[in-house]
Amino acid sequence: MAMLRNQATSLLRHEHLTTTVPRAKELRPFVERLITIAKRGVASGVGVKTLNARRLVMEDLQDRDVVSKLFETIAPRFADRPGGYTRLLRLGYRRGDSAEVGTVELVGSEFNPRAKAEGDAKSEEQKPKAKGVGGRLRAAADRLRGGKKSESAATESAAAVEAKAARRGAGRKSSAGRKMGSSSKKGS
């Protein structure tokens, strides 16, 4: 029962949850019952029925923030829907134990896992480059980590490689290798 409550809390907080299919099948009616109770409480208006509905939901969900989100945003969203508030999407099989994995999500809140990555990429492109010492240090750290190189950095690194090769070549007196032979030390 505790795992079911924790999964319901997580599902209502994030509006999606990845778990095994049997757990997801067990979770769906539990969450739909909570949403129905919240829907009836919101539909009755402010009063004793709303308070009673909140208390009924609080028996199963201990997080006040999630309960307030359920009553303020999720229940009004499903006011016209007669049921079927969740959706189970099968994702495949887990690698370690081959358990069937699926995602449970609330209908109407289609979760896009790449949305955050796409948003980060857009904000990173629009970010202005700092010209100070800190900006140069950050750029150098990004280059060391394998980030994008600027054009000036690419030409600087190419020039550094050429200079290093020239120094290596200037230090040698002859191009012939050392004589291969026995060691000057004699074994004892």
Side-chain angles (χ1 to χ4, degrees):
M1 189 65 163
M3 183 184 65
L4 202 59
R5 288 176 174 175
N6 289 335
Q7 284 188 333
T9 302
S10 182
L11 174 63
L12 293 172
R13 178 179 290 134
H14 302 291
E15 299 191 6
H16 73 280
L17 176 73
T18 303
T19 184
T20 61
V21 172
R23 287 181 184 168
K25 285 182 177 180
E26 199 68 30
L27 177 66
R28 285 179 65 185
F30 185 77
V31 171
E32 293 195 6
R33 184 182 65 84
L34 294 176
I35 293 173
T36 302
I37 292 170
K39 222 171 73 168
R40 288 181 186 155
V42 169
S44 67
V46 179
V48 178
K49 288 189 177 184
T50 303
L51 180 61
N52 187 33
R54 275 186 181 270
R55 286 180 178 166
L56 284 172
V57 170
M58 281 294 287
E59 286 178 6
D60 291 326
L61 303 179
Q62 305 299 318
D63 193 348
R64 289 183 186 272
D65 296 333
V66 173
V67 172
S68 62
K69 178 180 179 179
L70 176 62
F71 276 84
E72 293 168 7
T73 61
I74 296 174
R77 186 187 334 165
F78 295 126
D80 297 332
R81 194 173 181 93
Y85 313 117
T86 58
R87 174 185 301 132
L88 173 60
L89 302 171
R90 294 169 190 263
L91 300 177
Y93 295 92
R94 194 162 50 197
R95 186 174 189 156
D97 58 354
S98 295
E100 193 174 8
V101 178
T103 298
V104 182
E105 65 181 12
L106 297 178
V107 174
S109 63
E110 283 70 28
F111 175 70
N112 183 3
R114 289 183 239 126
K116 186 175 181 184
E118 291 169 359
D120 290 344
K122 288 179 184 176
S123 65
E124 193 173 297
E125 291 173 0
Q126 295 172 355
K127 189 169 43 173
K129 298 290 180 181
K131 304 275 193 244
V133 175
R136 290 194 300 268
L137 286 173
R138 276 191 292 278
D142 286 342
R143 285 194 305 274
L144 287 174
R145 289 185 195 118
K148 291 190 277 183
K149 289 186 179 181
S150 63
E151 293 177 22
S152 61
T155 57
E156 289 174 9
S157 64
V161 168
E162 289 176 15
K164 198 178 209 182
R167 276 186 265 136
R168 243 188 269 138
R172 292 186 182 153
K173 293 181 181 177
S174 69
S175 62
R178 292 186 180 180
K179 263 188 176 177
M180 297 302 288
S182 65
S183 168
S184 61
K185 294 182 182 179
K186 299 288 182 189
S188 50

